[in-house]
Amino acid sequence: FYNLFLAVGIAAGVAQIAGGAIVAGRSIVLFACLCMVWAGIVLFVTSKRFFQAALVQLVPPLVAIVASFLLT
């Protein structure tokens, strides 16, 4: 369920951004994305048989992080 809570955190960050609190919202979104990336890394390191699941968990938030820095 931790990914669900992280997704709620991302939604809260996006709501903050929409409400005008850009720095706070961006910080929340980046923190949640970094947590997801680290969870994907831990999943991969735990067992190589979870490689595909780790990529599914790791790639989308990593793309969001990179995009965040490239688009600002």
Side-chain angles (χ1 to χ4, degrees):
F1 285 104
Y2 64 91
N3 277 334
L4 177 63
F5 298 127
L6 290 170
V8 169
I10 289 175
V14 170
Q16 290 286 320
I17 292 169
I22 306 297
V23 174
R26 186 170 185 244
S27 298
I28 293 168
V29 169
L30 288 175
F31 175 77
C33 285
L34 282 170
C35 287
M36 290 180 186
V37 167
W38 281 109
I41 291 169
V42 168
L43 186 62
F44 175 71
V45 170
T46 300
S47 176
K48 304 296 187 238
R49 66 186 176 108
F50 294 131
F51 177 73
Q52 186 174 0
L55 285 180
V56 169
Q57 180 161 344
L58 186 143
V59 172
L62 186 60
V63 169
I65 291 167
V66 171
S68 170
F69 285 102
L70 290 178
L71 298 175
T72 57

